[in-house]
Amino acid sequence: MRLLNLIKIAYKAIILNKMRTLLTMLGIIIGVASVIAMLAIGEGSKESIRSTISSMGSNMITIRPGADDRGPARGSGGNVQTLTLEDYNVIKEKVDLLSNSTPVVNSNGQVINGSNNWPSSIYGVYPEYLDIKVVGLQSGSMFTDAEVNTASKVALIGQTVVDNVFPNGEEPVGQMIRFNNIPFKVIGVLEEKGENTFGQDQDDIVIAPFTTVQKRILAIDYLNQIMASAVSEDDAPEAVEIITEILREQHKLQDFEDDDFTVRSMEELISTFSSTSEMLTVLLVAVAGISLLIGGIGIMNIMYVSVKERTKEIGLRMAVGGKGSDILMQFLIEAILISITGGVLGVALGLGATVFIENFLNWPTSVAMYSIIISFAVCAITGIFFGWYPARKASALDPITALRYE
Amino acid sequence: MAKETIKIENLKRQFTMGSETVHALKGISFTIEEGEFVTIMGSSGSGKSTMLNILGCLDQPTSGNYEIDGVKVKNLSKNELATIRNEKIGFIFQSYNLLARTSAIENVELPLLYNSKVTSEERRKRAINALEMVGLGDRLFHTPSQLSGGQQQRVAIARSLVNNPVMILADEATGNLDTRTSYEIMTLFQELNKKGITITFVTHEPDIATFSGRTIVLKDGEIMQDYKNHKVQSAADQLAKLPLENHLS
């Protein structure tokens, strides 16, 4: 009842000074709107990174030779020859949590078609590779297990390779190309994937049967990599652990020895890159937070003016029985009303700005519920914090002096 | 004997201004009974304003005793003083002190907003009654800028009546008004007094005192005169005697 009266009084004071109140609110409105928009941009980029990585196969697990924390003296992991086809077979046999898996050997070289040539990379894999990497075919078909067994000289090429070695728009499927002087028959073209989040061209690639690359091009007996996909994204961390255990056993490592291989799930990659964008979000929000602070100072300023201007009114209110606490609450509620109304308008503006950014600038955005709740709470606190001191000043006025104030 | 609304005994108030002590009131005693119409007169510096502040519970005496409606005011906290002002005193000021851009009825409701015992329906009903008593029943929703000075003072009088105070305390209530309007306001005060309302009117205009039943004259912080007026003039009659041109000019 009493509080309701005070809210009415504060509301009345705000209505009587519409323009001034609106300008005061503007600081808060802009502050809140920018917090929400910035968080939406931050969240959006985080989600976009996540979805990019997911499109590369979010349940993908890669196993590479060499320890993760290798120092400069140990040399590049690719040269470490600890991963073998035997390892692959054991993993494939023993780990139930994997749906697909393939050994990988790769090499760089020159793709040549007549007078056209292009430096690219060749990957020797099993047919499951396409499922693990979630790549489709534009034309042609994947090689078969039989072709792997016979080390057939067939290959699939990515769009970048097509563009460079078939510049005149001929149909590549069925044509012969040479990779490091070994002739391959093109049996398919991979679906275009474009650059990934890390700026790597995913279409600059040649894929051939594992045996063909390992025996005919590289002439090695170890693997560069094993790729697999877990049954589901949630199973990936457990699969990583099991694979690690099996490989340690397989490599006869003692307890005190470090792993001579690295098993990684995409989940780790996601968190690595998310942390970068989280940093960005923190910065954006800090900037937005500062503007909210400035909005709060605006409220404090205007409340001071208001107290000064209404000194006589305060005197009268005290004379007719208003207590110090009533006056304090009146001005405090006024400040809170301004900041909360500003908050509501700010949320609306922030959401509007987010829609605008999404549709006209084509930046990925995602509005998180928590950002709305937080900025709203911050608004109320701003009102209390910056309204307190002027309100306190008003309540401490001497009614006699206040009544005589001109 | 009638009930004593105000009882003051040996009241002193001094202010310290730097190293000097100013004795604004030097031991004043008087009582005001229920239903009296008292004017407190005095030139500036007489202690009139200090007296008014203490009577209005806006200030506390340095020593001596002050009782209003049987309540000893000395040693009450700020909040308790506010409650006394809210429940026992109706203030009227020289410059009306109405809230700008706020309707007459809302201005009159103001003291009741600070009294949580009064519901909003009762508040509205009492405000309308008070405004009808001062003859502004048809101006409930006019704002101060839409009212003449006399009408604004009537709103202020309605505001002072709305909490059913034991005493109305008027500070130079006619000081901003022309002669005709002052007489109109004084007529209203006399009517209210006839209804049994105790009025204390602080002024420096001698002709206002002729409308009251008793006059206390202060000088240099002491009571110089305290006399009953046996020939109270009727403000309504004085109003009727005013030349018509005066009204038109």
Side-chain angles (χ1 to χ4, degrees):
Chain A
M1 165 73 190
R2 200 59 179 280
L3 189 70
L4 202 70
N5 286 346
L6 287 168
I7 291 174
K8 258 188 221 159
I9 293 170
Y11 172 75
K12 186 116 201 159
I14 289 173
I15 288 301
L16 287 181
N17 273 309
K18 279 191 210 77
M19 191 63 187
R20 190 164 85 185
T21 310
L22 196 72
L23 288 174
T24 312
M25 265 183 207
L26 209 55
I28 292 288
I29 293 173
I30 292 171
V32 170
S34 50
V35 166
I36 288 189
M38 293 302 135
L39 272 173
I41 291 171
E43 282 293 314
S45 76
K46 211 153 79 180
E47 265 176 31
S48 126
I49 287 174
R50 181 171 275 272
S51 74
T52 309
I53 292 175
S54 295
S55 78
M56 293 158 58
S58 62
N59 44 4
M60 190 166 92
I61 293 169
T62 56
I63 305 154
R64 290 171 190 275
D68 191 20
D69 56 349
R70 44 187 134 67
R74 296 218 205 153
S76 147
N79 295 335
V80 184
Q81 304 177 4
T82 51
L83 219 52
T84 63
L85 195 60
E86 176 65 16
D87 291 337
Y88 166 75
N89 287 329
V90 172
I91 288 169
K92 187 183 166 78
E93 191 186 320
K94 286 193 180 170
V95 186
D96 303 332
L97 291 173
L98 300 180
S99 54
N100 288 303
S101 57
T102 174
V104 180
V105 285
N106 59 283
S107 170
N108 296 326
Q110 215 63 19
V111 184
I112 302 164
N113 172 36
S115 59
N116 301 308
N117 70 94
W118 176 251
S120 189
S121 307
I122 193 163
Y123 284 79
V125 293
Y126 283 177
E128 285 91 335
Y129 177 85
L130 290 189
D131 292 329
I132 296 170
K133 290 282 272 183
V134 201
V135 203
L137 293 179
Q138 245 180 77
S139 56
S141 57
M142 188 59 176
F143 48 77
T144 60
D145 287 333
E147 282 167 314
V148 173
N149 290 337
T150 56
S152 301
K153 288 182 271 186
V154 291
L156 291 91
I157 53 179
Q159 189 59 44
T160 306
V161 180
V162 172
D163 292 343
N164 286 288
V165 300
F166 297 100
N168 303 322
E170 315 93 297
E171 174 56 51
V173 177
Q175 306 269 359
M176 293 300 287
I177 56 167
R178 280 180 296 151
F179 191 92
N180 285 2
N181 288 325
I182 298 169
F184 283 87
K185 184 183 178 194
V186 178
I187 58 166
V189 176
L190 297 172
E191 211 174 63
E192 211 172 335
K193 282 197 108 177
E195 282 185 8
N196 64 15
T197 329
F198 326 116
Q200 216 176 10
D201 183 358
Q202 301 178 86
D203 299 320
D204 189 4
I205 191 172
V206 179
I207 288 172
F210 166 72
T211 43
T212 317
V213 178
Q214 195 193 31
K215 300 281 181 286
R216 293 186 196 265
I217 295 180
L218 292 165
I220 54 172
D221 55 4
Y222 58 88
L223 305 179
N224 293 110
Q225 215 186 123
I226 296 170
M227 277 185 185
S229 54
V231 175
S232 76
E233 207 176 319
D234 297 334
D235 289 325
E238 203 190 329
V240 168
E241 271 174 46
I242 295 171
I243 292 167
T244 308
E245 235 169 81
I246 289 172
L247 281 180
R248 283 188 71 88
E249 204 177 299
Q250 190 70 19
H251 292 180
K252 298 187 173 63
L253 293 175
Q254 302 288 323
D255 283 348
F256 58 86
E257 283 177 293
D258 290 334
D259 295 347
D260 58 356
F261 54 88
T262 309
V263 188
R264 260 207 200 142
S265 69
M266 278 317 222
E267 200 54 42
E268 292 169 57
L269 205 60
I270 288 170
S271 66
T272 306
F273 283 92
S274 295
S275 75
T276 316
S277 83
E278 240 156 50
M279 182 76 174
L280 189 75
T281 310
V282 168
L283 284 175
L284 289 174
V285 171
V287 171
I290 288 169
S291 64
L292 199 56
L293 178 79
I294 292 168
I297 294 171
I299 289 188
M300 192 164 176
N301 183 26
I302 220 66
M303 290 311 293
Y304 260 122
V305 173
S306 180
V307 167
K308 195 93 195 152
E309 208 181 62
R310 283 150 68 192
T311 301
K312 207 163 181 173
E313 178 195 321
I314 294 165
L316 171 76
R317 286 181 185 280
M318 286 178 159
V320 300
K323 297 185 176 78
S325 57
D326 294 327
I327 305 296
L328 181 103
M329 285 306 281
Q330 178 191 335
F331 282 92
L332 200 56
I333 288 172
E334 197 175 318
I336 294 170
L337 270 186
I338 291 176
S339 65
I340 285 188
T341 312
V344 172
L345 295 176
V347 167
L349 185 68
L351 294 180
T354 305
V355 171
F356 178 85
I357 289 167
E358 176 99 53
N359 291 331
F360 292 93
L361 301 179
N362 287 321
W363 289 9
T365 60
S366 164
V367 177
M369 197 56 209
Y370 79 87
S371 72
I372 293 178
I373 293 168
I374 285 179
S375 40
F376 213 73
V378 167
C379 262
I381 293 167
T382 305
I384 295 171
F385 186 79
F386 289 101
W388 175 262
Y389 201 72
R392 170 96 219 139
K393 208 181 148 171
S395 72
L397 283 172
D398 172 33
I400 300 169
T401 336
L403 274 169
R404 305 247 183 286
Y405 184 85
E406 290 301 330
Chain B
M1 199 178 99
K3 197 175 147 206
E4 285 174 348
T5 301
I6 299 284
K7 189 174 165 194
I8 285 174
E9 286 168 328
N10 197 24
L11 192 84
K12 288 182 186 166
R13 179 71 170 102
Q14 53 204 41
F15 299 96
T16 316
M17 301 249 186
S19 56
E20 250 179 279
T21 305
V22 180
H23 298 272
L25 296 175
K26 305 169 181 169
I28 283 180
S29 305
F30 64 85
T31 56
I32 296 175
E33 286 170 5
E34 191 176 26
E36 270 195 285
F37 186 165
V38 181
T39 40
I40 295 178
M41 294 213 18
S43 52
S44 61
S46 61
K48 197 174 44 165
S49 295
T50 310
M51 191 69 243
L52 175 90
N53 291 341
I54 291 174
L55 281 176
C57 295
L58 292 165
D59 194 11
Q60 290 271 33
T62 313
S63 68
N65 200 16
Y66 172 35
E67 279 179 33
I68 178 164
D69 199 27
V71 180
K72 279 193 171 56
V73 170
K74 201 159 165 63
N75 299 329
L76 290 185
S77 70
K78 274 189 174 183
N79 282 351
E80 287 165 326
L81 284 180
T83 308
I84 293 212
R85 291 198 296 269
N86 185 245
E87 291 173 358
K88 301 197 185 296
I89 300 169
F91 279 98
I92 300 165
F93 304 94
Q94 180 174 2
S95 51
Y96 330 130
N97 279 15
L98 299 178
L99 298 183
R101 289 178 286 179
T102 305
S103 68
I105 192 159
E106 281 175 292
N107 264 296
V108 174
E109 279 181 341
L110 187 68
L112 299 182
L113 278 178
Y114 293 105
N115 186 344
S116 51
K117 288 173 229 155
V118 182
T119 63
S120 60
E121 299 90 61
E122 198 191 338
R123 193 163 68 220
R124 180 115 309 199
K125 215 175 78 195
R126 278 164 71 170
I128 292 170
N129 277 345
L131 279 165
E132 278 168 354
M133 262 171 100
V134 300
L136 287 177
D138 56 342
R139 297 267 194 288
L140 299 181
F141 297 101
H142 286 55
T143 60
S145 60
Q146 295 167 321
L147 297 169
S148 70
Q151 286 170 330
Q152 288 186 50
Q153 194 58 298
R154 280 169 193 271
V155 174
I157 293 170
R159 184 179 63 197
S160 75
L161 290 170
V162 79
N163 56 345
N164 300 327
V166 297
M167 175 181 69
I168 285 182
L169 192 56
D171 178 14
E172 305 277 11
T174 55
N176 278 11
L177 302 171
D178 60 47
T179 313
R180 172 168 283 272
T181 319
S182 333
Y183 285 175
E184 280 170 4
I185 293 295
M186 289 318 293
T187 309
L188 176 59
F189 274 120
Q190 285 186 332
E191 280 169 14
L192 293 172
N193 182 237
K194 272 192 197 113
K195 287 176 187 159
I197 294 168
T198 314
I199 299 169
T200 302
F201 203 110
V202 177
T203 183
H204 66 271
E205 291 172 72
D207 63 327
I208 295 295
T210 62
F211 299 123
S212 70
R214 179 181 167 196
T215 304
I216 297 171
V217 183
L218 291 181
K219 196 180 181 192
D220 295 331
E222 285 168 335
I223 294 182
M224 224 176 67
Q225 279 180 293
D226 182 351
Y227 61 92
K228 286 256 192 297
N229 188 354
H230 297 292
K231 283 201 291 177
V232 179
Q233 296 217 47
S234 159
D237 293 348
Q238 292 296 317
L239 187 62
K241 276 189 224 157
L242 278 181
L244 212 58
E245 308 85 82
N246 196 350
H247 179 51
L248 292 175
S249 66

